[in-house]
Amino acid sequence: MWCDDPLSLKTLPWKAPASHKRCAEDVRPIFWAQRPKSYIHRSKEWDDFPNGRWGNSSSPAFGELADYHLFYLRTRWKPERLRVMWGEELNCPEDVFHVFECYLTGNRNKNGVKVTSLPWNDDELAMETSLLTQQLAAINRRGVLTINSQPAVNGRSSSDPVIGWGEKGGFVYQKAYLEFFCSPSFMRALMTVLVDYPQVNYHIVNRQGTENMTNCDSYQPIAVTWGVFPGMEIIQPTVVDPVSFHIWKDEAFMLWGTHWASLYSPESTSHHIISHIQNTYYLVNLVDNDFVSGNVLFQVGSPIVGVLRLSHTCVKNITVKRQF
């Protein structure tokens, strides 16, 4: 009943639910890392839960969003509070970029208020995100709107206060991961740069699912987090799964409307800006498989930095009048 080491309670990199029915569950897709309540609700009717490996996710259906209880799409914040954090009025896409940047850095927004929530985050930022704050803030400022990430880790102690999880005396590993929304012009520039980085797996999709670009196997999951512990098999609790990504993208795009655009009048400029992003931007995930060398996603000459150089004028040339 008494535990001197709270870290020993973190058996997995994500918080395990209390339900005895899920006690054997030890593998999840990374996409719901910031929305664990949503994942638990959408998978609560499964007959069994992944153990040891993820497998073919086309078997355990997540269910359509039409059947998804609306309670789990709500936020705990009142609309008045959200407007103060996300903008009483949005005049251009850069106002949206500013909200994302403030959320990551902890800086106050134009209203002098701290942004402590985004539609894709149930809770406060994970501790490991602090290792990437400067890099993430820089690309969000330029219109790459990140909603999930993790740094590369090569054999860090399982007792590490930021990265650690699992049994004592073990070592944990991670591939660098980045998930974000981006404009069509950024997406096209990104595709030209990624050709030079074969070690980076990518998956790019639009809201409608009519554009779906990837260099991954259509069904094979990619392990992005794993741990090695004394007297145990290797545990890989987090994966990037192509099938699950298509399930997640519907929820990720819907949150623009249910959480953000709904704060404003349908005829307002603010509503149109959010709706424009929701309907025209792409959802992207990147996995850097070379976890030994570090995180190429943020290095000079990396895909992200290269794209920013190629498309640095695209945001400046956007005006509300041209978009809407």
Side-chain angles (χ1 to χ4, degrees), residues 63-126:
E64 298 294 331
L65 279 177
D67 300 325
Y68 180 29
H69 198 286
L70 292 179
F71 175 80
Y72 289 91
L73 280 178
R74 294 175 183 170
T75 176
R76 58 193 174 93
W77 301 98
K78 294 183 178 181
E80 296 78 13
R81 176 62 179 173
L82 292 178
R83 279 194 293 269
V84 171
M85 288 196 296
W86 301 345
E88 295 283 1
E89 182 180 5
L90 304 173
N91 297 303
C92 60
E94 286 87 347
D95 288 342
V96 178
F97 307 165
H98 179 67
V99 172
F100 276 79
E101 181 186 357
C102 289
Y103 175 70
L104 289 162
T105 61
N107 296 335
R108 298 184 184 275
N109 63 14
K110 295 178 180 179
N111 295 324
V113 175
K114 285 192 174 183
V115 180
T116 57
S117 173
L118 285 178
W120 304 268
N121 299 81
D122 282 342
D123 302 306
E124 295 182 359
L125 284 171

Short mmCIF file of all heavy atoms in Angstrom, two decimals, residues 63-126:
data_model
loop_
_atom_site.label_atom_id
_atom_site.label_comp_id
_atom_site.label_asym_id
_atom_site.label_seq_id
_atom_site.Cartn_x
_atom_site.Cartn_y
_atom_site.Cartn_z
N GLY A 63 -14.98 1.06 -34.40
CA GLY A 63 -16.33 1.62 -34.46
C GLY A 63 -16.35 2.96 -35.17
O GLY A 63 -15.39 3.72 -35.14
N GLU A 64 -17.46 3.23 -35.84
CA GLU A 64 -17.62 4.48 -36.55
C GLU A 64 -17.85 5.63 -35.57
O GLU A 64 -18.44 5.44 -34.50
CB GLU A 64 -18.79 4.40 -37.52
CG GLU A 64 -18.62 3.34 -38.61
CD GLU A 64 -17.48 3.67 -39.54
OE1 GLU A 64 -17.20 4.88 -39.71
OE2 GLU A 64 -16.87 2.74 -40.10
N LEU A 65 -17.41 6.82 -35.95
CA LEU A 65 -17.62 7.98 -35.09
C LEU A 65 -19.10 8.28 -34.90
O LEU A 65 -19.49 8.89 -33.93
CB LEU A 65 -16.90 9.19 -35.67
CG LEU A 65 -15.40 9.28 -35.39
CD1 LEU A 65 -14.81 10.48 -36.07
CD2 LEU A 65 -15.14 9.34 -33.90
N ALA A 66 -19.94 7.84 -35.83
CA ALA A 66 -21.38 8.06 -35.69
C ALA A 66 -21.92 7.31 -34.47
O ALA A 66 -22.93 7.70 -33.87
CB ALA A 66 -22.10 7.59 -36.95
N ASP A 67 -21.25 6.23 -34.10
CA ASP A 67 -21.67 5.44 -32.94
C ASP A 67 -20.89 5.80 -31.68
O ASP A 67 -21.06 5.18 -30.63
CB ASP A 67 -21.46 3.94 -33.22
CG ASP A 67 -22.26 3.48 -34.43
OD1 ASP A 67 -23.37 3.99 -34.63
OD2 ASP A 67 -21.74 2.61 -35.15
N TYR A 68 -20.07 6.79 -31.79
CA TYR A 68 -19.16 7.16 -30.72
C TYR A 68 -19.84 8.15 -29.78
O TYR A 68 -20.25 9.21 -30.21
CB TYR A 68 -17.92 7.77 -31.39
CG TYR A 68 -16.82 8.23 -30.49
CD1 TYR A 68 -16.58 7.66 -29.26
CD2 TYR A 68 -15.98 9.26 -30.92
CE1 TYR A 68 -15.55 8.10 -28.47
CE2 TYR A 68 -14.94 9.69 -30.13
CZ TYR A 68 -14.73 9.11 -28.91
OH TYR A 68 -13.71 9.54 -28.13
N HIS A 69 -19.96 7.77 -28.52
CA HIS A 69 -20.69 8.61 -27.56
C HIS A 69 -20.11 10.01 -27.52
O HIS A 69 -18.92 10.22 -27.32
CB HIS A 69 -20.60 7.99 -26.17
CG HIS A 69 -21.64 8.51 -25.22
ND1 HIS A 69 -21.59 9.75 -24.66
CD2 HIS A 69 -22.78 7.94 -24.76
CE1 HIS A 69 -22.63 9.93 -23.88
NE2 HIS A 69 -23.38 8.85 -23.92
N LEU A 70 -20.96 11.01 -27.76
CA LEU A 70 -20.50 12.38 -27.89
C LEU A 70 -19.82 12.91 -26.64
O LEU A 70 -19.03 13.85 -26.70
CB LEU A 70 -21.68 13.30 -28.26
CG LEU A 70 -22.26 13.07 -29.65
CD1 LEU A 70 -23.44 14.01 -29.88
CD2 LEU A 70 -21.21 13.31 -30.72
N PHE A 71 -20.09 12.28 -25.52
CA PHE A 71 -19.45 12.74 -24.28
C PHE A 71 -17.93 12.72 -24.41
O PHE A 71 -17.24 13.59 -23.88
CB PHE A 71 -19.88 11.86 -23.12
CG PHE A 71 -19.18 12.19 -21.83
CD1 PHE A 71 -19.59 13.26 -21.04
CD2 PHE A 71 -18.09 11.45 -21.39
CE1 PHE A 71 -18.94 13.57 -19.86
CE2 PHE A 71 -17.44 11.75 -20.21
CZ PHE A 71 -17.87 12.81 -19.45
N TYR A 72 -17.40 11.74 -25.11
CA TYR A 72 -15.96 11.59 -25.21
C TYR A 72 -15.34 12.47 -26.28
O TYR A 72 -14.14 12.44 -26.50
CB TYR A 72 -15.61 10.11 -25.44
CG TYR A 72 -15.87 9.29 -24.20
CD1 TYR A 72 -17.10 8.68 -23.99
CD2 TYR A 72 -14.90 9.16 -23.21
CE1 TYR A 72 -17.35 7.95 -22.84
CE2 TYR A 72 -15.14 8.43 -22.06
CZ TYR A 72 -16.37 7.83 -21.88
OH TYR A 72 -16.61 7.12 -20.75
N LEU A 73 -16.17 13.22 -26.99
CA LEU A 73 -15.64 14.21 -27.91
C LEU A 73 -15.67 15.60 -27.28
O LEU A 73 -15.22 16.56 -27.88
CB LEU A 73 -16.45 14.23 -29.21
CG LEU A 73 -16.10 13.15 -30.22
CD1 LEU A 73 -17.02 13.25 -31.44
CD2 LEU A 73 -14.65 13.27 -30.67
N ARG A 74 -16.22 15.71 -26.10
CA ARG A 74 -16.30 17.00 -25.43
C ARG A 74 -14.99 17.31 -24.71
O ARG A 74 -14.16 16.46 -24.49
CB ARG A 74 -17.45 17.01 -24.42
CG ARG A 74 -18.83 16.89 -25.06
CD ARG A 74 -19.90 16.79 -23.99
NE ARG A 74 -21.22 16.59 -24.57
CZ ARG A 74 -22.30 16.28 -23.87
NH1 ARG A 74 -22.21 16.13 -22.56
NH2 ARG A 74 -23.46 16.12 -24.47
N THR A 75 -14.85 18.55 -24.34
CA THR A 75 -13.72 18.98 -23.53
C THR A 75 -14.23 19.42 -22.16
O THR A 75 -15.39 19.81 -22.02
CB THR A 75 -12.97 20.15 -24.21
OG1 THR A 75 -11.93 20.61 -23.35
CG2 THR A 75 -13.92 21.29 -24.54
N ARG A 76 -13.37 19.33 -21.18
CA ARG A 76 -13.78 19.70 -19.83
C ARG A 76 -13.85 21.21 -19.64
O ARG A 76 -14.35 21.69 -18.63
CB ARG A 76 -12.83 19.09 -18.80
CG ARG A 76 -11.38 19.51 -18.97
CD ARG A 76 -10.46 18.64 -18.13
NE ARG A 76 -9.06 18.90 -18.35
CZ ARG A 76 -8.33 19.75 -17.65
NH1 ARG A 76 -8.89 20.43 -16.66
NH2 ARG A 76 -7.05 19.91 -17.90
N TRP A 77 -13.35 21.98 -20.64
CA TRP A 77 -13.34 23.43 -20.53
C TRP A 77 -14.64 24.02 -21.06
O TRP A 77 -15.21 23.52 -22.02
CB TRP A 77 -12.18 24.02 -21.31
CG TRP A 77 -10.83 23.54 -20.87
CD1 TRP A 77 -10.08 22.55 -21.46
CD2 TRP A 77 -10.07 24.01 -19.76
NE1 TRP A 77 -8.90 22.38 -20.78
CE2 TRP A 77 -8.86 23.27 -19.73
CE3 TRP A 77 -10.29 24.99 -18.78
CZ2 TRP A 77 -7.88 23.47 -18.78
CZ3 TRP A 77 -9.30 25.20 -17.84
CH2 TRP A 77 -8.13 24.45 -17.83
N LYS A 78 -15.10 25.09 -20.46
CA LYS A 78 -16.27 25.80 -20.96
C LYS A 78 -15.90 26.62 -22.19
O LYS A 78 -14.76 27.04 -22.34
CB LYS A 78 -16.83 26.72 -19.87
CG LYS A 78 -17.39 25.98 -18.66
CD LYS A 78 -17.98 26.95 -17.65
CE LYS A 78 -18.59 26.20 -16.47
NZ LYS A 78 -19.19 27.13 -15.47
N PRO A 79 -16.87 26.82 -23.11
CA PRO A 79 -16.58 27.57 -24.34
C PRO A 79 -15.96 28.93 -24.10
O PRO A 79 -15.07 29.36 -24.84
CB PRO A 79 -17.96 27.70 -25.00
CG PRO A 79 -18.72 26.52 -24.50
CD PRO A 79 -18.25 26.31 -23.09
N GLU A 80 -16.40 29.62 -23.04
CA GLU A 80 -15.86 30.95 -22.74
C GLU A 80 -14.36 30.87 -22.45
O GLU A 80 -13.58 31.72 -22.89
CB GLU A 80 -16.58 31.58 -21.55
CG GLU A 80 -18.06 31.84 -21.80
CD GLU A 80 -18.93 30.60 -21.68
OE1 GLU A 80 -18.41 29.57 -21.18
OE2 GLU A 80 -20.10 30.65 -22.11
N ARG A 81 -13.97 29.83 -21.72
CA ARG A 81 -12.56 29.65 -21.39
C ARG A 81 -11.75 29.29 -22.63
O ARG A 81 -10.62 29.76 -22.82
CB ARG A 81 -12.42 28.56 -20.33
CG ARG A 81 -10.99 28.20 -19.97
CD ARG A 81 -10.24 29.36 -19.37
NE ARG A 81 -8.88 28.98 -19.00
CZ ARG A 81 -7.96 29.84 -18.58
NH1 ARG A 81 -8.26 31.12 -18.46
NH2 ARG A 81 -6.77 29.41 -18.25
N LEU A 82 -12.31 28.46 -23.50
CA LEU A 82 -11.61 28.05 -24.71
C LEU A 82 -11.39 29.24 -25.65
O LEU A 82 -10.33 29.35 -26.28
CB LEU A 82 -12.39 26.95 -25.42
CG LEU A 82 -12.46 25.60 -24.70
CD1 LEU A 82 -13.30 24.61 -25.49
CD2 LEU A 82 -11.07 25.03 -24.44
N ARG A 83 -12.38 30.11 -25.75
CA ARG A 83 -12.21 31.28 -26.62
C ARG A 83 -11.11 32.19 -26.11
O ARG A 83 -10.37 32.79 -26.89
CB ARG A 83 -13.54 32.05 -26.74
CG ARG A 83 -14.51 31.43 -27.75
CD ARG A 83 -15.63 32.40 -28.07
NE ARG A 83 -16.50 32.60 -26.91
CZ ARG A 83 -17.59 31.87 -26.66
NH1 ARG A 83 -17.93 30.89 -27.49
NH2 ARG A 83 -18.33 32.12 -25.61
N VAL A 84 -10.98 32.30 -24.81
CA VAL A 84 -9.90 33.11 -24.24
C VAL A 84 -8.54 32.49 -24.57
O VAL A 84 -7.58 33.20 -24.87
CB VAL A 84 -10.08 33.24 -22.71
CG1 VAL A 84 -8.85 33.90 -22.09
CG2 VAL A 84 -11.32 34.05 -22.39
N MET A 85 -8.46 31.14 -24.54
CA MET A 85 -7.19 30.47 -24.82
C MET A 85 -6.89 30.41 -26.31
O MET A 85 -5.76 30.62 -26.75
CB MET A 85 -7.21 29.05 -24.24
CG MET A 85 -7.11 28.97 -22.73
SD MET A 85 -6.68 27.31 -22.14
CE MET A 85 -8.11 26.36 -22.68
N TRP A 86 -7.91 30.11 -27.12
CA TRP A 86 -7.69 29.85 -28.54
C TRP A 86 -8.01 31.04 -29.44
O TRP A 86 -7.81 30.96 -30.66
CB TRP A 86 -8.52 28.65 -28.99
CG TRP A 86 -8.21 27.39 -28.23
CD1 TRP A 86 -7.12 27.15 -27.44
CD2 TRP A 86 -8.99 26.20 -28.20
NE1 TRP A 86 -7.18 25.88 -26.91
CE2 TRP A 86 -8.31 25.27 -27.36
CE3 TRP A 86 -10.19 25.80 -28.79
CZ2 TRP A 86 -8.81 23.99 -27.11
CZ3 TRP A 86 -10.67 24.53 -28.54
CH2 TRP A 86 -9.99 23.63 -27.71
N GLY A 87 -8.49 32.12 -28.85
CA GLY A 87 -8.74 33.32 -29.62
C GLY A 87 -10.19 33.74 -29.62
O GLY A 87 -11.06 32.99 -30.09
N GLU A 88 -10.47 34.92 -29.10
CA GLU A 88 -11.83 35.47 -29.17
C GLU A 88 -12.21 35.70 -30.63
O GLU A 88 -13.37 35.57 -31.01
CB GLU A 88 -11.90 36.79 -28.39
CG GLU A 88 -11.68 36.67 -26.89
CD GLU A 88 -12.90 36.13 -26.17
OE1 GLU A 88 -13.92 35.84 -26.84
OE2 GLU A 88 -12.84 35.99 -24.94
N GLU A 89 -11.20 36.04 -31.41
CA GLU A 89 -11.41 36.27 -32.84
C GLU A 89 -10.14 35.90 -33.60
O GLU A 89 -9.04 36.26 -33.19
CB GLU A 89 -11.76 37.74 -33.09
CG GLU A 89 -12.04 38.06 -34.54
CD GLU A 89 -12.38 39.53 -34.75
OE1 GLU A 89 -12.29 40.30 -33.76
OE2 GLU A 89 -12.70 39.90 -35.89
N LEU A 90 -10.29 35.13 -34.67
CA LEU A 90 -9.17 34.75 -35.52
C LEU A 90 -9.25 35.52 -36.83
O LEU A 90 -10.30 35.54 -37.48
CB LEU A 90 -9.20 33.24 -35.80
CG LEU A 90 -9.21 32.32 -34.58
CD1 LEU A 90 -9.41 30.87 -35.01
CD2 LEU A 90 -7.93 32.47 -33.76
N ASN A 91 -8.15 36.16 -37.21
CA ASN A 91 -8.15 36.97 -38.41
C ASN A 91 -7.34 36.37 -39.55
O ASN A 91 -7.49 36.78 -40.70
CB ASN A 91 -7.61 38.37 -38.09
CG ASN A 91 -8.50 39.10 -37.10
OD1 ASN A 91 -9.69 39.28 -37.34
ND2 ASN A 91 -7.92 39.50 -35.97
N CYS A 92 -6.49 35.41 -39.23
CA CYS A 92 -5.65 34.78 -40.25
C CYS A 92 -5.14 33.45 -39.70
O CYS A 92 -5.19 33.20 -38.49
CB CYS A 92 -4.48 35.70 -40.62
SG CYS A 92 -3.41 36.10 -39.22
N PRO A 93 -4.61 32.56 -40.57
CA PRO A 93 -4.09 31.28 -40.10
C PRO A 93 -2.97 31.43 -39.07
O PRO A 93 -2.82 30.58 -38.19
CB PRO A 93 -3.57 30.62 -41.38
CG PRO A 93 -4.39 31.22 -42.47
CD PRO A 93 -4.62 32.65 -42.05
N GLU A 94 -2.20 32.52 -39.17
CA GLU A 94 -1.11 32.71 -38.21
C GLU A 94 -1.62 32.81 -36.78
O GLU A 94 -0.90 32.47 -35.83
CB GLU A 94 -0.30 33.96 -38.57
CG GLU A 94 0.61 33.81 -39.77
CD GLU A 94 -0.11 34.10 -41.08
OE1 GLU A 94 -1.36 34.19 -41.08
OE2 GLU A 94 0.58 34.26 -42.09
N ASP A 95 -2.86 33.24 -36.59
CA ASP A 95 -3.44 33.29 -35.25
C ASP A 95 -3.59 31.88 -34.68
O ASP A 95 -3.43 31.66 -33.47
CB ASP A 95 -4.79 33.99 -35.27
CG ASP A 95 -4.67 35.50 -35.50
OD1 ASP A 95 -3.57 36.04 -35.30
OD2 ASP A 95 -5.69 36.12 -35.88
N VAL A 96 -3.89 30.93 -35.55
CA VAL A 96 -3.98 29.53 -35.14
C VAL A 96 -2.60 28.99 -34.81
O VAL A 96 -2.40 28.31 -33.80
CB VAL A 96 -4.64 28.68 -36.24
CG1 VAL A 96 -4.69 27.20 -35.84
CG2 VAL A 96 -6.05 29.19 -36.54
N PHE A 97 -1.62 29.32 -35.66
CA PHE A 97 -0.25 28.87 -35.42
C PHE A 97 0.23 29.36 -34.04
O PHE A 97 0.92 28.63 -33.31
CB PHE A 97 0.71 29.40 -36.49
CG PHE A 97 0.30 29.10 -37.92
CD1 PHE A 97 0.91 29.77 -38.97
CD2 PHE A 97 -0.68 28.17 -38.21
CE1 PHE A 97 0.55 29.51 -40.28
CE2 PHE A 97 -1.06 27.89 -39.52
CZ PHE A 97 -0.44 28.58 -40.56
N HIS A 98 -0.13 30.60 -33.71
CA HIS A 98 0.29 31.20 -32.45
C HIS A 98 -0.25 30.43 -31.25
O HIS A 98 0.44 30.25 -30.24
CB HIS A 98 -0.18 32.66 -32.40
CG HIS A 98 0.17 33.37 -31.13
ND1 HIS A 98 1.46 33.68 -30.76
CD2 HIS A 98 -0.64 33.84 -30.12
CE1 HIS A 98 1.45 34.29 -29.59
NE2 HIS A 98 0.20 34.41 -29.18
N VAL A 99 -1.48 29.93 -31.36
CA VAL A 99 -2.09 29.17 -30.27
C VAL A 99 -1.30 27.88 -30.03
O VAL A 99 -0.99 27.52 -28.88
CB VAL A 99 -3.56 28.84 -30.58
CG1 VAL A 99 -4.13 27.88 -29.53
CG2 VAL A 99 -4.39 30.11 -30.63
N PHE A 100 -0.95 27.18 -31.11
CA PHE A 100 -0.16 25.95 -30.98
C PHE A 100 1.20 26.24 -30.34
O PHE A 100 1.67 25.49 -29.47
CB PHE A 100 0.04 25.32 -32.35
CG PHE A 100 -1.10 24.46 -32.80
CD1 PHE A 100 -2.26 25.02 -33.33
CD2 PHE A 100 -1.02 23.07 -32.72
CE1 PHE A 100 -3.30 24.23 -33.75
CE2 PHE A 100 -2.07 22.27 -33.14
CZ PHE A 100 -3.22 22.83 -33.66
N GLU A 101 1.84 27.32 -30.78
CA GLU A 101 3.15 27.67 -30.23
C GLU A 101 3.06 27.97 -28.74
O GLU A 101 3.91 27.52 -27.95
CB GLU A 101 3.72 28.86 -30.98
CG GLU A 101 5.10 29.28 -30.50
CD GLU A 101 5.58 30.56 -31.15
OE1 GLU A 101 4.88 31.10 -32.03
OE2 GLU A 101 6.68 31.04 -30.76
N CYS A 102 2.05 28.71 -28.33
CA CYS A 102 1.89 29.05 -26.91
C CYS A 102 1.62 27.82 -26.07
O CYS A 102 2.08 27.72 -24.93
CB CYS A 102 0.75 30.06 -26.75
SG CYS A 102 1.13 31.71 -27.36
N TYR A 103 0.88 26.88 -26.61
CA TYR A 103 0.60 25.64 -25.87
C TYR A 103 1.90 24.89 -25.58
O TYR A 103 2.10 24.36 -24.49
CB TYR A 103 -0.35 24.76 -26.68
CG TYR A 103 -0.59 23.40 -26.06
CD1 TYR A 103 -1.33 23.26 -24.89
CD2 TYR A 103 -0.08 22.24 -26.64
CE1 TYR A 103 -1.55 22.02 -24.32
CE2 TYR A 103 -0.29 21.00 -26.08
CZ TYR A 103 -1.03 20.90 -24.92
OH TYR A 103 -1.24 19.66 -24.36
N LEU A 104 2.79 24.86 -26.55
CA LEU A 104 4.04 24.12 -26.39
C LEU A 104 5.03 24.82 -25.48
O LEU A 104 5.73 24.18 -24.70
CB LEU A 104 4.69 23.89 -27.77
CG LEU A 104 3.97 22.88 -28.68
CD1 LEU A 104 4.42 23.06 -30.12
CD2 LEU A 104 4.23 21.47 -28.20
N THR A 105 5.12 26.13 -25.59
CA THR A 105 6.12 26.87 -24.84
C THR A 105 5.66 27.29 -23.45
O THR A 105 6.49 27.60 -22.59
CB THR A 105 6.53 28.14 -25.61
OG1 THR A 105 5.37 28.98 -25.78
CG2 THR A 105 7.10 27.79 -26.97
N GLY A 106 4.36 27.34 -23.23
CA GLY A 106 3.85 27.84 -21.96
C GLY A 106 3.76 29.35 -21.91
O GLY A 106 3.38 29.93 -20.88
N ASN A 107 4.09 30.02 -23.02
CA ASN A 107 3.98 31.48 -23.08
C ASN A 107 2.51 31.89 -23.13
O ASN A 107 1.65 31.14 -23.59
CB ASN A 107 4.71 32.02 -24.30
CG ASN A 107 6.20 31.78 -24.24
OD1 ASN A 107 6.77 31.64 -23.16
ND2 ASN A 107 6.84 31.70 -25.40
N ARG A 108 2.25 33.11 -22.72
CA ARG A 108 0.88 33.62 -22.76
C ARG A 108 0.51 34.04 -24.17
O ARG A 108 1.36 34.51 -24.93
CB ARG A 108 0.72 34.79 -21.79
CG ARG A 108 0.98 34.39 -20.33
CD ARG A 108 0.73 35.54 -19.37
NE ARG A 108 1.06 35.14 -18.01
CZ ARG A 108 0.22 34.52 -17.19
NH1 ARG A 108 -1.01 34.24 -17.61
NH2 ARG A 108 0.58 34.19 -15.97
N ASN A 109 -0.76 33.88 -24.51
CA ASN A 109 -1.22 34.25 -25.84
C ASN A 109 -1.49 35.74 -25.94
O ASN A 109 -1.17 36.51 -25.01
CB ASN A 109 -2.45 33.43 -26.23
CG ASN A 109 -3.65 33.72 -25.32
OD1 ASN A 109 -3.68 34.69 -24.57
ND2 ASN A 109 -4.66 32.87 -25.41
N LYS A 110 -2.14 36.17 -27.01
CA LYS A 110 -2.40 37.59 -27.21
C LYS A 110 -3.35 38.17 -26.18
O LYS A 110 -3.40 39.39 -25.98
CB LYS A 110 -2.95 37.81 -28.62
CG LYS A 110 -1.95 37.46 -29.72
CD LYS A 110 -2.55 37.65 -31.10
CE LYS A 110 -1.54 37.30 -32.17
NZ LYS A 110 -2.12 37.45 -33.55
N ASN A 111 -4.12 37.31 -25.53
CA ASN A 111 -5.02 37.74 -24.46
C ASN A 111 -4.34 37.74 -23.09
O ASN A 111 -4.98 38.03 -22.09
CB ASN A 111 -6.26 36.86 -24.41
CG ASN A 111 -7.12 36.98 -25.65
OD1 ASN A 111 -7.24 38.06 -26.21
ND2 ASN A 111 -7.73 35.88 -26.07
N GLY A 112 -3.05 37.38 -23.07
CA GLY A 112 -2.33 37.30 -21.81
C GLY A 112 -2.68 36.07 -21.00
O GLY A 112 -2.48 36.03 -19.79
N VAL A 113 -3.18 35.03 -21.68
CA VAL A 113 -3.63 33.81 -21.02
C VAL A 113 -2.78 32.64 -21.48
O VAL A 113 -2.40 32.55 -22.66
CB VAL A 113 -5.11 33.54 -21.34
CG1 VAL A 113 -5.57 32.20 -20.76
CG2 VAL A 113 -5.98 34.67 -20.82
N LYS A 114 -2.48 31.72 -20.59
CA LYS A 114 -1.73 30.52 -20.95
C LYS A 114 -2.66 29.52 -21.64
O LYS A 114 -3.79 29.30 -21.21
CB LYS A 114 -1.10 29.88 -19.72
CG LYS A 114 0.12 30.62 -19.19
CD LYS A 114 0.87 29.79 -18.17
CE LYS A 114 2.18 30.49 -17.76
NZ LYS A 114 2.97 29.66 -16.82
N VAL A 115 -2.16 28.91 -22.70
CA VAL A 115 -2.92 27.89 -23.44
C VAL A 115 -2.57 26.54 -22.83
O VAL A 115 -1.47 26.02 -23.04
CB VAL A 115 -2.57 27.91 -24.94
CG1 VAL A 115 -3.38 26.85 -25.69
CG2 VAL A 115 -2.83 29.29 -25.52
N THR A 116 -3.49 25.97 -22.08
CA THR A 116 -3.23 24.73 -21.36
C THR A 116 -3.91 23.52 -21.98
O THR A 116 -3.86 22.42 -21.42
CB THR A 116 -3.68 24.86 -19.89
OG1 THR A 116 -5.07 25.21 -19.86
CG2 THR A 116 -2.87 25.93 -19.17
N SER A 117 -4.55 23.73 -23.11
CA SER A 117 -5.26 22.62 -23.75
C SER A 117 -5.37 22.87 -25.24
O SER A 117 -5.40 24.01 -25.71
CB SER A 117 -6.67 22.49 -23.14
OG SER A 117 -7.45 21.55 -23.84
N LEU A 118 -5.42 21.78 -26.00
CA LEU A 118 -5.75 21.79 -27.42
C LEU A 118 -6.77 20.69 -27.67
O LEU A 118 -6.88 19.76 -26.87
CB LEU A 118 -4.50 21.56 -28.28
CG LEU A 118 -3.49 22.72 -28.42
CD1 LEU A 118 -2.31 22.27 -29.26
CD2 LEU A 118 -4.14 23.96 -29.02
N PRO A 119 -7.51 20.74 -28.76
CA PRO A 119 -8.53 19.71 -29.00
C PRO A 119 -7.98 18.28 -29.00
O PRO A 119 -8.72 17.34 -28.70
CB PRO A 119 -9.07 20.08 -30.38
CG PRO A 119 -8.87 21.56 -30.48
CD PRO A 119 -7.57 21.82 -29.77
N TRP A 120 -6.70 18.11 -29.31
CA TRP A 120 -6.14 16.76 -29.45
C TRP A 120 -5.41 16.31 -28.19
O TRP A 120 -4.74 15.27 -28.21
CB TRP A 120 -5.17 16.73 -30.65
CG TRP A 120 -5.86 17.18 -31.88
CD1 TRP A 120 -6.51 16.40 -32.80
CD2 TRP A 120 -6.00 18.54 -32.34
NE1 TRP A 120 -7.05 17.19 -33.77
CE2 TRP A 120 -6.75 18.50 -33.53
CE3 TRP A 120 -5.56 19.76 -31.85
CZ2 TRP A 120 -7.09 19.65 -34.25
CZ3 TRP A 120 -5.90 20.92 -32.55
CH2 TRP A 120 -6.64 20.85 -33.74
N ASN A 121 -5.51 17.06 -27.12
CA ASN A 121 -4.79 16.73 -25.89
C ASN A 121 -5.74 16.72 -24.71
O ASN A 121 -6.28 17.77 -24.34
CB ASN A 121 -3.65 17.74 -25.64
CG ASN A 121 -2.62 17.74 -26.75
OD1 ASN A 121 -2.83 18.35 -27.79
ND2 ASN A 121 -1.54 17.03 -26.55
N ASP A 122 -5.95 15.56 -24.12
CA ASP A 122 -6.80 15.44 -22.95
C ASP A 122 -6.17 16.08 -21.71
O ASP A 122 -6.85 16.67 -20.88
CB ASP A 122 -7.09 13.96 -22.63
CG ASP A 122 -8.14 13.36 -23.55
OD1 ASP A 122 -8.88 14.14 -24.18
OD2 ASP A 122 -8.22 12.13 -23.65
N ASP A 123 -4.86 15.94 -21.60
CA ASP A 123 -4.15 16.38 -20.41
C ASP A 123 -3.03 17.34 -20.78
O ASP A 123 -2.85 17.72 -21.94
CB ASP A 123 -3.58 15.17 -19.66
CG ASP A 123 -4.67 14.18 -19.27
OD1 ASP A 123 -5.65 14.61 -18.62
OD2 ASP A 123 -4.54 12.99 -19.63
N GLU A 124 -2.24 17.72 -19.76
CA GLU A 124 -1.10 18.59 -20.00
C GLU A 124 -0.04 17.86 -20.82
O GLU A 124 -0.08 16.63 -20.98
CB GLU A 124 -0.51 19.05 -18.66
CG GLU A 124 -1.45 19.92 -17.83
CD GLU A 124 -0.82 20.38 -16.54
OE1 GLU A 124 0.35 20.00 -16.30
OE2 GLU A 124 -1.48 21.09 -15.78
N LEU A 125 0.91 18.61 -21.32
CA LEU A 125 1.97 18.04 -22.14
C LEU A 125 2.73 16.94 -21.38
O LEU A 125 3.00 17.06 -20.18
CB LEU A 125 2.96 19.12 -22.56
CG LEU A 125 2.52 20.06 -23.68
CD1 LEU A 125 3.53 21.19 -23.81
CD2 LEU A 125 2.38 19.32 -24.99
N ALA A 126 3.07 15.86 -22.09
CA ALA A 126 3.87 14.81 -21.49
C ALA A 126 5.26 15.36 -21.17
O ALA A 126 5.77 16.26 -21.84
CB ALA A 126 3.99 13.62 -22.44
#
